[in-house]
Amino acid sequence: AQLAESGGGLVQPGGSLRLSCAASGFTFSTYGMNWVRQVPGKGVEWISGINSDGTKTYSADSVKGRFTVSRDNIKNTLYLQLNSLKTEDTAMYYCTKSPGPYYGGSWSTRGQGTQVTVSA
């Protein structure tokens, strides 16, 4: 399985970004997917998940109402729309593949990450 994140960058507080994760090497439509983030020196924070057919999603309290996860099973791509960004959202963002059709479960299969920096 290969995952490649993109779309990160520098944005001002209150701004928006759209992250993408291109998946290959596995049957994307049969696996749950997740977004996690990590700040150097801190643990991984699970922020969002979506089941294999896109009908169920999860959002952590820290991003609920601001971040939206979605997927396109034709394009084999996972997305994360980030709105109303805060300085505390600054982190490396990774997409991860779940072990089965539901979100969550494991963060071991992930891409190289994309950096999001929120600063004035």
Side-chain angles (χ1 to χ4, degrees):
Q2 291 189 321
L3 301 169
E5 302 91 340
S6 62
L10 174 64
V11 63
Q12 292 186 339
S16 297
L17 284 172
R18 189 193 196 198
L19 307 184
S20 298
C21 171
S24 61
F26 64 101
T27 306
F28 180 73
S29 61
T30 64
Y31 287 91
M33 297 293 294
N34 311 278
W35 287 98
V36 302
R37 65 186 181 186
Q38 189 168 24
V39 175
K42 294 189 177 181
V44 172
E45 180 186 11
W46 179 36
I47 58 171
S48 193
I50 187 168
N51 69 347
S52 58
D53 64 5
T55 57
K56 292 183 186 262
T57 63
Y58 160 83
S59 290
D61 287 344
S62 58
V63 305
K64 196 168 292 183
R66 300 187 299 121
F67 293 6
T68 303
V69 62
S70 62
R71 64 190 297 161
D72 185 331
N73 284 348
I74 302 299
K75 295 183 178 179
N76 290 347
T77 303
L78 178 73
Y79 301 101
L80 187 67
Q81 179 68 40
L82 290 67
N83 296 329
S84 302
L85 281 160
K86 305 175 181 179
T87 55
E88 52 263 43
D89 295 319
T90 295
M92 185 71 81
Y93 285 70
Y94 300 90
C95 64
T96 79
K97 170 183 166 292
S98 290
Y102 305 107
Y103 49 70
S106 174
W107 322 133
S108 61
T109 303
R110 60 184 185 181
Q112 82 290 346
T114 187
Q115 177 69 37
V116 172
T117 302
V118 185
S119 175

